[in-house]
Amino acid sequence: VMHDYEFDMYRLVLSIGKRYGIDTAYEIMSDTVAAKRLRWLEQVATELDLSGTPLQNGLGLYRKYFKLSDDSFQILEQAPEHVMFRRKDTIDAIAYACDVLGLDVIEVNNKVYARTMNLMFQKLDLQLSNRVLEYHAGWYVERIEVHPGS
């Protein structure tokens, strides 16, 4: 369930977007999300098992952050340079807010939330990037890949 103050955040993004451009608005929103995620990362840094490949470590970090169980996560494709997976959003608040406010759920996720995951990867020097590819009925299809030249 999304609270009024959460809708207000999206409404604020739209207002900023009208005045300064939507990319600036998404960047501001992403900065607030990133601050929360990077604080979390600092708190759990000693608990992370970063003993695999960068891709394994990135996927492990992703699953740990979102607390994904096997019934809410499925690997669709895996190669040495990328992994594509499905993730169930049990709350589905982002998609709901985007629908109500007429925002593109893929664009919002990539410019706000995937960007913050990429900052987490950078903080751990993993040389990875996360991208949301699709959304349907509560399920996101995403890809984590190794940066070219890494």
Side-chain angles (χ1 to χ4, degrees):
V1 175
M2 183 170 260
H3 301 282
D4 285 340
Y5 69 87
E6 292 168 307
F7 269 113
D8 289 343
M9 186 164 101
Y10 284 89
R11 287 184 187 107
L12 181 61
V13 166
L14 289 174
S15 295
I16 292 169
K18 286 178 186 173
R19 185 168 200 165
Y20 300 106
I22 196 68
D23 286 336
T24 299
Y26 287 145
E27 188 176 325
I28 291 167
M29 187 175 177
S30 183
D31 288 347
T32 64
V33 173
K36 175 185 170 203
R37 288 189 185 184
L38 291 173
R39 271 193 313 276
W40 173 87
L41 185 59
E42 286 177 17
Q43 293 170 352
V44 301
T46 57
E47 301 169 21
L48 296 174
D49 177 21
L50 299 178
S51 59
T53 67
L55 195 55
Q56 290 168 332
N57 292 337
L59 190 60
L61 173 67
Y62 187 99
R63 289 192 71 174
K64 184 173 181 77
Y65 181 79
F66 286 105
K67 300 176 183 160
L68 296 171
S69 61
D70 289 341
D71 62 336
S72 63
F73 179 83
Q74 176 187 19
I75 292 179
L76 302 173
E77 181 182 314
Q78 191 162 8
E81 69 282 349
H82 74 269
V83 61
M84 188 168 21
F85 56 91
R86 285 177 14 125
R87 170 182 63 90
K88 177 73 173 166
D89 186 348
T90 54
I91 298 171
D92 219 16
I94 295 166
Y96 180 73
C98 288
D99 185 51
V100 168
L101 298 171
L103 298 170
D104 182 286
V105 68
I106 301 300
E107 181 179 25
V108 169
N109 273 281
N110 281 320
K111 291 188 175 179
V112 176
Y113 301 101
R115 179 179 175 263
T116 62
M117 185 56 64
N118 293 337
L119 291 172
M120 293 169 75
F121 292 156
Q122 279 180 347
K123 184 84 168 168
L124 297 173
D125 197 27
L126 293 177
Q127 306 298 312
L128 300 171
S129 62
N130 172 231
R131 181 164 169 78
V132 177
L133 305 173
E134 298 174 26
Y135 172 81
H136 181 69
W139 286 90
Y140 288 99
V141 174
E142 298 183 52
R143 180 180 172 113
I144 296 175
E145 61 188 357
V146 177
H147 286 282
S150 297

